[in-house]
Amino acid sequence: MSRQAPLPPRPAVPLSLLCLVVAIVVERCALGSGTAAGEILVPGCLTLGLGAVVAFACRRAGAAGFAQAAATVTVAALAAGISAGVFSARLSDATSALLASPVSAWELEMVSDMSGGDGTWRGRARAKGPAGHEALVWATSPVRVGRGHRFSCVGRFTPAGEDEWGRSSRMQGVCGTVRAIRVEDRGLGGGLSGVLMGFRKEALAALLCEDGADAPRAVLAGVACGFSPAAREAGLDREFAACGASHLVAVSGSHLVLIGAMAEGALSRTRMRKMARLVAHAAFTGLFVLFCGAPPSAVRAWVMSLASSGSELAGRRGHGLSSAAAAGLVMALLQPTCAGELGFLLSMSCVAAIGLFGAYAKHVVLVIAGTPAAPRRLPPAVRSALRSLRRSSLDAISLTLACQTATVALTVPAFGTISVVAPAANVPLSLLFAPTVCAGALAVAAAPIPWLRPILLGIAELPAKALVCVLKAVSSLPVTSVCVDVDAGALLAATVAAGVALLIFWPRVSRRGLLGACAAALLVLGAGDVRWRYFAPARICVMDVGQADAILVSDSASTLMVDAGLDDRVAAALSRNHVRHLDAVVLTHLDEDHVGGLDDLVGVCSVGEVYVAGGVAKLMGEELTSTVERLCGHGPCELAYEDIISCGGFTSRVVWPRQPVEGSDGNADSVVLSVLYDVGGRSLSALLTGDAEKEQTGEILAAGDVGDIDLLKVGHHGSAVSVSAEQAQALSPEVSVASAGKNNRYGHPRAECVDALESAGSRFLCTIDAGDVVVYPGASGPRVSTQRGASISD
């Protein structure tokens, strides 16, 4: 009979963690709204007064501890508000100065590694003005400027707007975007930072070639130099995301622990005194943090290590979570933009999850796993190794689950997916991570020594190659991530509420109860998946994917998607429409707003076939062709005029183009599908036009390939030339739907298009207002439902 793992003691929530949470909330609100210090004065005084009242009431009630906590949290909130207000005022002044003077008068310094390619590189730069103003900007450039390089440029500055992107930029301390047309690189700056960036540049040159890097070298560049673009350029970013292991190439506390252990191992062999050894350790790890570009998560870990060293010198036992939260609070108050940095928030959330719930997560995993009987007929050393491996594996699974659950409210809004293989994938990856970091750091340190460098690089590549093999093996599974489309605020509230409830009740669990709960959850999820996978209603859904196209045609177990949107919004749209599998995807043409989201389906949604117009396959770039092959295991299939694609009761007939495409992939060559459904007395006819315009529609009508229809997916997002009044009368659609993005620069849908269709008696809808528009076959006409409630454009 197995013995149940003991329930760990309930952790205490440190006051510094509460102060940090309050400070982050206050700073995000102040920075996002651009509130200046003067505007915070009145609400700050009210907050201080309220805190004083609460503290006094608690003290009178005999709760001195609550009184102290209330006073401390109030002071932290006021300090955070003042800090954020002062920073907002400086940011506003710098924005005004950038608008009032030419960009060429400012000196810029890259503070991040540029990513991108094909003539457009993007990164973050610090701009310094002639009058002493200073601010961070997004910098786009026709050439790649290295981190730490100073440069001047001729270009244009655009301030951060009031949309979601603008608010996010301000919360990160970025006042806008400088689009450089011509760049004059002035080289690295001086001082210690310039020396370190020069050494980093030399190390990266040894790791990477001009054409990029192979996958193992890209991993080494990420873990040892903090150069994350290498993983993206080597095509590994999706593999890391699918495995829930992106943190491995983002330098953070785990890297610092390993580097610090290497430093401690070397220092322990010297005769240095304890004080000198701790100072040397702090200096070495601090230089590593600067060398990697001082990411907030690594700075937090370094400050935390300083606090731990201080506690050790003072003869006091440190408390990990209290030290981490105190370090985070200091950083947030000194640099309020930490509250807007996703890396910092993820890092602190993981530290808090491990400190509060790590032991409980391990308890739950141990209860589920049980205590296996000791293997017989094995040598003691083998049995010990197996027990150690099992313990390490369960630790990796439990910590991954704790961190993944704690950060879900941050990762889902940012990435739109949850990795379902992360707990299992992180077991082998965590075992390979330590040797990869340590060997990579040694290889980088040997970069200036020509005879030693290739030897150490060869050694470092061994664990890196193994890590890449695991990544590729796991990410090649049919489904590694699940798209989630939920309200970010509701998800955050639910996560906090679950954490608070767990801390309050701290329930004892049993293996039978946990397995039963897991089985019930899987049964509910499985039943929902089976319902939508095999018994979906017949429908055509014009999905809201911004200024792009993605139309879903589904019936029972068959699903077809026409076009793949621009970005990851198509994966989110499929998720909210309960689609995990696509029998086929038709790409009407190769414009980015029709194919750009295809790679976001890899590992998220299985795909049977990808279709393009005849002659288009040879026009597809290598990257898009590779994406198609990763999705369905082979290249695209070509469609010819009059070809038919069946999808349940729907038949989709190609009515355009009539000839194979030659040397063009524009709107005029868009695949146009005539879709028909007639089953059980319910019918629906539709014309899906891609970006075809009235010239192509006119030829389709003249040829008699289509007549009176129920649904028109309006061509080219409802542009002025998408359909003429005569064509609208000839088609006479009951419903017309345009797919367009809010505040798009083209003014889609144009009034000329809307007027032509409404004059023909059609009900006009646009995804801007209605969200997803779903049209169902009906006995006496189509039935329409919308995501945001039906709305008719003026």
Side-chain angles (χ1 to χ4, degrees):
M1 183 176 179
S2 62
R3 181 171 58 88
Q4 174 137 337
L7 183 69
R10 191 196 321 266
V13 180
L15 182 57
S16 57
L17 180 61
L18 295 176
C19 292
L20 174 61
V21 171
V22 170
I24 288 175
V25 171
V26 170
E27 288 176 345
R28 286 181 65 85
C29 293
L31 292 173
S33 61
T35 305
E39 298 171 322
I40 292 176
L41 184 60
V42 173
C45 291
L46 292 176
T47 301
L48 189 61
L50 179 61
V53 170
V54 172
F56 178 76
C58 290
R59 185 171 293 277
R60 292 278 298 185
F66 284 104
Q68 182 183 1
T72 305
V73 170
T74 302
V75 171
L78 183 62
I82 293 173
S83 177
V86 171
F87 187 89
S88 291
R90 291 176 180 173
L91 198 66
S92 177
D93 291 343
T95 303
S96 301
L98 272 164
L99 288 170
S101 60
V103 172
S104 57
W106 291 65
E107 181 183 72
L108 290 91
E109 179 183 356
M110 290 305 305
V111 296
S112 72
D113 294 302
M114 280 189 150
S115 59
D118 297 327
T120 302
W121 299 92
R122 182 182 180 85
R124 196 179 331 202
R126 180 178 292 106
K128 297 181 180 179
H133 293 99
E134 184 175 318
L136 293 177
V137 296
W138 299 116
T140 62
S141 167
V143 296
R144 192 173 201 168
V145 182
R147 186 199 286 261
H149 282 239
R150 297 178 180 179
F151 65 99
S152 60
C153 67
V154 175
R156 181 167 57 91
F157 170 73
T158 304
E162 295 302 321
D163 56 0
E164 184 178 352
W165 171 253
R167 288 191 295 272
S168 174
S169 294
R170 283 197 298 273
M171 281 191 285
Q172 298 174 63
V174 180
C175 66
T177 301
V178 170
R179 292 177 173 82
I181 300 172
R182 189 171 66 253
V183 172
E184 180 186 349
D185 192 339
R186 298 178 181 174
L188 289 166
L192 177 61
S193 176
V195 172
L196 286 173
M197 289 300 102
F199 181 68
R200 181 176 187 264
K201 184 177 180 180
E202 185 179 350
L204 287 173
L207 286 170
L208 311 174
C209 60
E210 291 184 1
D211 297 330
D214 58 12
R217 293 288 187 93
V219 170
L220 291 174
V223 301
C225 300
F227 187 73
S228 56
R232 289 193 293 271
E233 292 162 16
L236 290 177
D237 53 334
R238 295 210 171 275
E239 279 81 357
F240 275 108
C243 297
S246 298
H247 60 283
L248 297 184
V249 287
V251 174
S252 60
S254 55
H255 296 72
L256 207 61
V257 168
L258 294 170
I259 296 298
M262 291 176 60
E264 183 62 29
L267 292 170
S268 63
R269 298 178 183 274
T270 67
R271 296 183 178 180
M272 297 174 65
R273 292 185 177 182
K274 187 176 183 179
M275 170 70 81
R277 195 167 67 247
L278 289 175
V279 171
H281 181 278
F284 183 82
T285 52
L287 287 174
F288 175 74
V289 171
L290 289 175
F291 175 76
C292 293
S297 54
V299 173
R300 187 271 311 158
W302 184 69
V303 174
M304 179 181 167
S305 71
L306 292 182
S308 177
S309 298
S311 298
E312 184 178 345
L313 288 174
R316 299 183 60 184
R317 184 178 178 182
H319 185 270
L321 183 54
S322 294
S323 299
L329 180 61
V330 171
M331 289 180 61
L333 293 178
L334 294 179
Q335 187 66 30
T337 54
C338 287
E341 291 280 355
L342 181 61
F344 177 78
L345 297 177
L346 289 173
S347 174
M348 290 308 310
S349 297
C350 288
V351 170
I354 292 171
L356 294 175
F357 307 112
Y360 190 86
K362 184 176 180 180
H363 167 71
V364 171
V365 170
L366 285 173
V367 168
I368 294 176
T371 305
R376 298 178 179 180
R377 297 179 182 177
L378 289 177
V382 176
R383 289 202 301 268
S384 176
L386 289 175
R387 284 194 295 268
S388 177
L389 178 61
R390 179 178 184 272
R391 186 165 54 250
S392 299
S393 300
L394 293 180
D395 284 347
I397 291 173
S398 59
L399 294 182
T400 302
L401 284 172
C403 293
Q404 193 173 16
T405 305
T407 59
V408 68
L410 298 172
T411 56
V412 167
F415 308 116
T417 60
I418 296 177
S419 173
V420 296
V421 298
N426 273 271
V427 172
L429 291 175
S430 62
L431 296 176
L432 294 167
F433 176 66
T436 301
V437 172
C438 295
L442 291 174
V444 166
I449 309 174
W451 63 270
L452 184 59
R453 181 175 62 202
I455 298 174
L456 292 181
L457 274 178
I459 295 173
E461 281 186 312
L462 295 177
K465 285 180 179 178
L467 192 147
V468 170
C469 287
V470 173
L471 278 175
K472 290 186 177 295
V474 175
S475 62
S476 64
L477 296 173
V479 176
T480 57
S481 303
V482 175
C483 278
V484 180
D485 185 32
V486 296
D487 180 76
L491 184 59
L492 178 61
T495 303
V496 172
V500 171
L502 181 56
L503 285 172
I504 292 174
F505 298 104
W506 206 246
R508 186 178 297 276
V509 295
S510 67
R511 188 180 187 189
R512 179 178 296 178
L514 285 172
L515 292 176
C518 291
L522 289 174
L523 183 62
V524 171
L525 293 174
D529 191 62
V530 168
R531 182 257 189 270
W532 285 102
R533 173 68 177 86
Y534 297 102
F535 303 99
R539 56 178 173 161
I540 297 178
C541 176
V542 181
M543 297 186 291
D544 180 16
V545 290
Q547 185 66 18
D549 267 19
I551 300 98
L552 190 66
V553 181
S554 62
D555 180 30
S556 298
S558 301
T559 308
L560 164 72
M561 185 169 72
V562 181
D563 286 325
L566 175 65
D567 48 32
D568 57 0
R569 280 178 285 188
V570 70
L574 288 174
S575 175
R576 65 174 172 264
N577 284 283
H578 314 287
V579 175
R580 310 279 185 215
H581 171 79
L582 293 168
D583 293 288
V585 175
V586 176
L587 303 177
T588 60
H589 60 302
L590 301 185
D591 282 359
E592 188 68 14
D593 58 333
H594 293 253
V595 304
L598 199 65
D599 61 340
D600 291 285
L601 302 184
V602 177
V604 173
C605 183
S606 56
V607 176
E609 301 284 350
V610 174
Y611 292 102
V612 295
V616 168
K618 65 178 182 293
L619 303 175
M620 296 171 61
E622 182 179 344
E623 183 177 352
L624 181 57
T625 303
S626 174
T627 299
V628 171
E629 292 173 349
R630 292 176 66 195
L631 275 172
C632 55
H634 53 80
C637 302
E638 294 193 334
L639 294 170
Y641 177 63
E642 293 287 356
D643 277 355
I644 291 178
I645 303 173
S646 297
C647 177
F650 286 98
T651 58
S652 301
R653 181 168 55 92
V654 179
V655 296
W656 190 267
R658 293 184 190 160
Q659 302 296 328
V661 176
E662 295 182 0
S664 173
D665 60 349
N667 298 340
D669 295 316
S670 290
V671 173
V672 179
L673 297 175
S674 175
V675 183
L676 296 175
Y677 180 93
D678 191 358
V679 177
R682 295 180 301 124
S683 63
L684 179 66
S685 58
L687 188 66
L688 309 182
T689 57
D691 272 357
E693 297 174 347
K694 58 185 179 182
E695 289 81 0
Q696 294 77 48
T697 305
E699 292 193 41
I700 293 169
L701 283 167
D705 285 326
V706 68
D708 191 340
I709 59 174
D710 297 316
L711 167 65
L712 173 66
K713 202 296 294 182
V714 182
H716 202 187
H717 315 287
S719 69
V721 293
S722 61
V723 64
S724 68
E726 294 77 11
Q727 292 166 1
Q729 291 288 343
L731 293 169
S732 188
E734 298 287 330
V735 182
S736 301
V737 184
S739 179
K742 188 176 182 180
N743 299 323
N744 67 83
R745 60 192 178 95
Y746 310 100
H748 295 161
R750 297 294 297 271
E752 300 94 316
C753 171
V754 177
D755 291 343
L757 290 165
E758 290 188 337
S759 297
S762 180
R763 182 183 185 185
F764 186 89
L765 296 170
C766 183
T767 56
I768 293 176
D769 306 306
D772 295 341
V773 179
V774 186
V775 182
Y776 302 94
S780 57
R783 294 185 298 109
V784 181
S785 69
T786 63
Q787 182 184 1
R788 304 188 188 112
S791 57
I792 303 175
S793 300
D794 295 329

